[in-house]
C-alpha cells in the first residue's frame, strides 16, 4: 500500500465520509484553501492510479468511491510508521508517547485492561 500525500489523505477522508462523490462534492467539503477543480480532479485520478479509488461513469462525468477502507489504510499506515520510526516495536511506540506526555498512566492502565479482557 503506497503512502499518500497530505492532499491525497485529505481527499480520501472526504471520500470515506461521503462514500461516493463527484469532484464538485469533494470541493464543497474541503475546509481550508479551496483548491481549483482541476487540482482535485488530478488528485482523485492519482488516487485511482494508486488503487485507492474507482469510479462509476455517467457519460463524461465520474462519480468516485473508495476501494480501500479507512481501517485498511490506518492499519497499513500505522504498521509502516511503527516499522520505520520505532524499529517495529510497539513497546517503543507506546513509551515514546508516554515520554512525550501524549498518553497518561491512567490511559495505559485502561489499555492494559482492554488487552487482559481480550485474552
Amino acid at each position: 500500500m503506497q503512502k499518500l500525500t497530505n492532499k491525497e489523505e485529505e481527499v480520501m477522508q472526504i471520500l470515506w465520509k461521503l462514500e461516493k462523490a463527484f469532484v464538485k462534492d469533494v470541493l464543497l467539503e474541503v475546509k481550508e484553501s479551496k483548491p481549483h477543480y482541476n487540482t482535485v480532479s488530478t488528485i482523485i485520478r492519482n488516487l485511482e492510479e494508486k488503487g485507492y479509488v474507482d469510479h462509476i461513469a455517467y457519460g463524461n462525468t465520474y462519480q468516485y468511491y473508495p476501494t480501500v477502507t479507512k481501517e485498511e489504510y490506518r492499519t497499513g499506515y500505522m504498521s509502516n510508521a511503527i516499522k520505520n520510526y520505532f524499529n517495529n516495536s510497539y513497546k517503543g511506540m507506546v513509551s515514546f508517547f508516554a515520554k512525550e506526555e501524549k498518553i497518561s498512566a491512567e490511559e495505559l492502565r485502561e489499555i492494559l485492561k482492554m488487552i487482559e479482557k481480550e485474552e
Side-chain angles (χ1 to χ4, degrees):
M1 186 176 288
Q2 284 183 288
K3 184 178 178 340
L4 300 179
T5 66
N6 291 340
K7 290 294 181 189
E8 289 171 338
E9 277 191 31
E10 182 180 6
V11 169
M12 283 304 299
Q13 292 289 343
I14 293 167
L15 287 173
W16 284 320
K17 176 184 167 191
L18 299 177
E19 296 179 3
K20 290 183 180 177
F22 296 97
V23 173
K24 64 180 176 65
D25 300 326
V26 174
L27 263 173
L28 289 172
E29 293 289 320
V30 175
K31 300 294 182 218
E32 295 176 20
S33 65
K34 296 276 188 198
H36 190 274
Y37 181 96
N38 290 342
T39 302
V40 174
S41 181
T42 299
I43 291 169
I44 292 174
R45 282 195 312 276
N46 289 342
L47 287 166
E48 194 168 20
E49 286 176 21
K50 290 180 177 182
Y52 286 89
V53 171
D54 204 351
H55 70 270
I56 301 167
Y58 297 97
N60 292 335
T61 306
Y62 296 145
Q63 184 180 41
Y64 297 95
Y65 59 92
T67 57
V68 173
T69 67
K70 192 174 191 175
E71 291 74 26
E72 289 169 331
Y73 182 71
R74 178 179 50 211
T75 299
Y77 181 83
M78 290 304 298
S79 293
N80 282 334
I82 291 164
K83 178 181 155 195
N84 294 331
Y85 296 102
F86 300 102
N87 295 322
N88 227 16
S89 168
Y90 287 84
K91 179 182 170 185
M93 180 196 67
V94 172
S95 67
F96 167 81
F97 287 113
K99 288 176 189 170
E100 293 290 315
E101 298 180 8
K102 303 290 184 194
I103 191 168
S104 68
E106 181 59 34
E107 289 170 318
L108 287 170
R109 282 189 281 279
E110 288 176 27
I111 291 169
L112 283 172
K113 286 179 187 174
M114 287 172 33
I115 293 169
E116 289 168 353
K117 283 182 183 178
E118 288 181 7
E119 291 178 1

